[in-house]
Each structure stands twice: as structure tokens, then as C-alpha cells.
Amino acid sequence: LSIKDKGNLIKWIKTTNRIERVFREVRRRTDSIGAFTNKDSLIRIMYKVFKEYNEKQEEKRKKIKKYSGSFNQIYTHLLT
């Protein structure tokens, strides 16, 4: 594998791990319930799990964006 191929593979593995983590959380929450009265109740649980995950990711993105300017300034200062 070339370096580019390895990078793409690592990115794919990380993406797959994130997706699998979310589905593991869905399974954890739904297994404890056992049976659902209708399809909508399952969909609501899945929606809630995905919404929570998206909110956490958005928080992380905001923190990174907030500090990225500072990191760039420090890095630029160290190079000069």
C-alpha cells in the first residue's frame, strides 16, 4: 500500500468505527427495552441517539475551530 492508500484506509477505519459506535449505542438502548409497541417508538430512540451523537460532534468542531486560530498563531510564531 502506498502512503496515500494507507491514509485513506485509516480514514475509512475511523469512519467505520464511529458509525459502529453509534449503532452499538442504539443496540444498547433498544436491547434493554426488549419489545416495541410500534415502529415509531424504535425510530424515536434511534433519532435520539443520532441527534446526541451529532450534537457532541458539533461541540467538538466548535472547540477545534475556537482554538485553531491560536494554534496557528503559535505555530507561525515558532517557525519565524
Side-chain angles (χ1 to χ4, degrees):
L1 289 173
S2 70
I3 292 175
K4 183 178 179 184
D5 293 335
K6 286 180 184 177
N8 289 336
L9 180 61
I10 289 170
K11 187 176 181 180
W12 181 80
I13 290 171
K14 286 181 181 180
T15 302
T16 302
N17 288 341
R18 289 178 182 162
I19 293 167
E20 286 299 319
R21 175 66 187 108
V22 174
F23 282 120
R24 193 176 323 125
E25 181 63 19
V26 169
R27 282 192 302 274
R28 186 186 72 79
R29 291 191 189 188
T30 56
D31 285 349
S32 63
I33 294 171
F36 294 93
T37 55
N38 58 28
K39 188 170 102 176
D40 290 336
S41 59
L42 174 61
I43 290 172
R44 279 194 295 272
I45 290 174
M46 290 179 68
Y47 174 79
K48 178 71 171 162
V49 171
F50 283 100
K51 184 178 178 203
E52 287 173 358
Y53 178 78
N54 286 334
E55 287 170 352
K56 286 179 186 177
Q57 293 303 311
E58 186 61 31
E59 264 184 47
K60 287 180 183 180
R61 276 188 229 111
K62 285 180 182 178
K63 285 180 183 177
I64 289 170
K65 189 174 182 178
K66 178 180 176 182
Y67 293 110
S68 67
S70 300
F71 293 139
N72 288 336
Q73 288 175 352
I74 292 169
Y75 182 72
T76 304
H77 179 71
L78 290 174
L79 290 178
T80 58

